[in-house]
Amino acid sequence: MNIVLGVTGGIAAYKAVLLARLFVEAGHEVHVVPTADALRFVGLPTWEAISRHPVTSSVHDDVPEVRHVALGQRADLVVVAPATANTLARMAAGLADDLLGTTLLATTAPVLVAPAMHTEMWQHAATQHNVETLRGRGIAFVGPDSGRLTGDDSGPGRMSEPTQIFAAAQSLLAGRHPHASESQIIVDQPTSDLAGLTVLVSAGGTREPIDPVRYLGNRSSGRQGVAIAAAAAARGAQVVLLSANVDASVLGEVGERSTTRVVPVGTAAELEAAARTEAAGADVIIMAAAVADYRVAEVSEGKLRKEDTGGTPPTLQLVENPDILRGLVVSRAPGQTIVGFAAETVEGEDELLERGRRKLARKGVDLLAVNAVGWIEGFESAGNTLYILDRTGEVVRRINGTKRETADGLLDSVLAVRLARDIL
Ligand code: CTP
């Protein structure tokens, strides 16, 4: 398909490079039309190298080819990412004093817009009015997300991740071309974007035996890890799920797929052994399981009985379990992306992120997914709020939704990390 990618002058222009690459890799012809301002953020050679086509922002180049309208006429889809507040205003007014403006007026193809700006600018009545006008003309929007903005600001206005924009673009293309394959028509996730990758996920909570009938355990249901496994499989990955005491009703959510293998484990030691074996073939490792930090030093062969201890409560001697995640990071295979989880009991968001950052530094993972837990929060629930920190400790995403939605958001971040590493 022929895609015109309009890029306008915001810092998120650098992320549009990843978007262009996703389009090219999916087999589309990509013509990038940057505005003059966009070129201050990302230069022409980058766009030409990524799109493999000549790039200009001027209506005065290639005049014999009538380029100012030809690009729009030939397009199957026009994507504007990032779209600044100024761009939305220009689009609403129908201005055509640069190549992107003329292209947008000349096209009859669907148009997808990914806004990016500071929260105040996004919420301003003028911008919202422009958005309404554009929606009224059938223009599709993706985002903006809520999260870290330029400077110290954060809030709604952050451009959606390239993988999300890519997914929305694919579904628009599928709608326009009814013969497109079924798999392209799913709206909320880019199908097959994990094809070729093996994803190792741990889920549930380990149980450390005290005697044959008792154990030390935790309240992790395994729902989040199972949702990640299911989402990764739905997106084309080969999945190995290390299931630590996950209830059959929850485990059922991974479904019957030839591409998903479930390895049941009980204790931290079993989880460690399975993780070491399976890590060898994994491109992505996501440790969502709650691992007991300690196990009982001497497990009793027989059931502990009150009558044997003469009524004195027994004392359990504990020894520390290995840090499985840290071990995987230390012996990581080249190109492996490793993700940890941190469930913390905290007073507020600041403390949550602060603890998350400390854990991130200790573990050395590529991404850490942090969420708050408490007596009520976090466990057994269908929903979850996840903060995803990158290696530098920056919140790259805040996802509030069902466990499946947070799973997909986390996988989007994994893809973004892998894409950025390849490209930079
Ligand atoms: N983890 C692990 N092995 C352990 C403990 C934890 O692999 N022995 C992993 C978990 O699967 C999770 C991450 O490390 O991905 C963080 O788990 P958490 O229990 O929060 O970390 P701890 O290092 O145990 O930190 P603390 O108990 O001090 O909060």
Side-chain angles (χ1 to χ4, degrees):
M1 300 277 166
N2 235 314
I3 298 181
V4 171
L5 175 59
V7 183
T8 74
I11 185 71
Y14 81 92
K15 287 195 191 171
V17 179
L18 300 179
L19 178 61
R21 194 172 122 125
L22 287 172
F23 286 142
V24 171
E25 283 188 347
H28 299 300
E29 286 292 313
V30 180
H31 293 275
V32 181
V33 182
T35 60
D37 253 4
L39 291 176
R40 297 172 70 128
F41 291 92
V42 180
L44 215 100
T46 302
W47 298 120
E48 293 194 328
I50 290 288
S51 70
R52 304 173 192 167
H53 284 291
V55 171
T56 175
S57 61
S58 163
V59 285
H60 305 299
D61 290 339
D62 293 328
V63 173
E65 284 183 34
V66 210
R67 197 178 172 90
H68 71 289
V69 290
L71 279 176
Q73 286 169 337
R74 284 203 304 261
D76 294 300
L77 175 71
V78 179
V79 179
V80 185
T84 59
N86 182 51
T87 304
L88 296 179
R90 294 166 58 83
M91 287 174 74
L95 295 190
D97 58 356
D98 64 3
L99 189 57
L100 182 58
T102 56
T103 302
L104 283 163
L105 287 190
T107 196
T108 54
V111 176
L112 175 67
V113 172
M117 64 200 74
H118 279 268
T119 305
E120 294 79 1
M121 295 172 79
W122 171 248
Q123 288 172 344
H124 194 282
T127 304
Q128 288 303 310
H129 182 71
N130 292 330
V131 170
E132 280 318 301
T133 303
L134 293 170
R135 280 194 211 277
R137 287 184 203 149
I139 286 179
F141 280 77
V142 51
D145 287 354
S146 190
R148 178 86 184 266
L149 304 168
T150 322
D152 294 332
D153 290 358
S154 76
R158 181 183 164 95
M159 189 176 84
S160 292
E161 291 302 316
T163 47
Q164 274 176 292
I165 304 171
F166 175 77
Q170 289 287 84
S171 66
L172 276 177
L173 282 170
R176 182 172 153 84
H177 296 274
H179 301 305
S181 71
E182 272 286 288
S183 64
Q184 280 183 298
I185 298 171
I186 293 177
V187 179
D188 62 349
Q189 64 191 29
T191 54
S192 304
D193 59 355
L194 298 179
L197 296 180
T198 297
V199 179
L200 174 63
V201 187
S202 69
T206 67
R207 290 180 184 172
E208 309 302 321
I210 299 170
D211 66 19
V213 295
R214 302 184 180 94
Y215 58 81
L216 296 174
N218 61 69
R219 290 176 54 206
S220 176
S221 66
R223 278 202 175 82
Q224 184 66 77
V226 167
I228 293 168
R235 292 166 66 158
Q238 294 282 334
V239 175
V240 181
L241 174 61
L242 307 180
S243 163
N245 308 297
V246 179
D247 205 75
S249 61
V250 175
L251 199 54
E253 286 166 36
V254 287
E256 290 284 322
R257 282 178 195 267
S258 60
T259 51
T260 302
R261 186 157 53 86
V262 178
V263 180
V265 295
T267 62
E270 287 168 17
L271 177 57
E272 187 192 27
R276 277 187 188 280
T277 308
E278 301 295 341
D283 302 291
V284 178
I285 300 175
I286 303 175
M287 280 291 290
V291 186
D293 288 330
Y294 306 100
R295 65 181 182 278
V296 178
E298 274 179 49
V299 179
S300 171
E301 280 299 320
K303 187 181 162 196
L304 295 178
R305 290 191 195 84
K306 272 190 278 188
E307 61 185 27
D308 297 339
T309 52
T312 320
T315 304
L316 291 177
Q317 185 71 38
L318 300 180
V319 288
E320 198 167 342
N321 277 329
D323 187 329
I324 305 170
L325 183 58
R326 181 73 201 139
L328 293 171
V329 168
V330 168
S331 57
R332 86 160 74 202
Q336 222 166 39
T337 310
I338 305 187
V339 182
F341 263 77
E344 308 286 344
T345 52
V346 285
E347 293 297 327
E349 192 183 276
D350 287 349
E351 193 189 343
L352 179 67
L353 296 180
E354 201 35 56
R355 277 179 185 276
R357 288 185 181 115
R358 288 209 297 273
K359 196 159 283 185
L360 182 86
R362 268 206 323 272
K363 305 274 183 181
V365 287
D366 298 295
L367 293 170
L368 188 74
V370 189
N371 69 323
V373 290
W375 291 107
I376 300 163
E377 253 179 308
F379 296 111
E380 300 295 334
S381 58
N384 202 3
T385 301
L386 269 195
Y387 294 80
I388 301 183
L389 307 182
D390 70 6
R391 301 183 78 106
T392 67
E394 190 192 329
V395 180
V396 288
R397 234 158 216 273
R398 177 183 179 282
I399 319 161
N400 192 343
T402 62
K403 291 200 173 172
R404 180 57 179 262
E405 283 162 349
T406 53
D408 269 315
L410 176 62
L411 291 171
D412 288 342
S413 294
V414 167
L415 265 183
V417 164
R418 294 182 67 86
L419 275 170
R421 196 188 48 207
D422 278 350
I423 214 164
L424 298 176

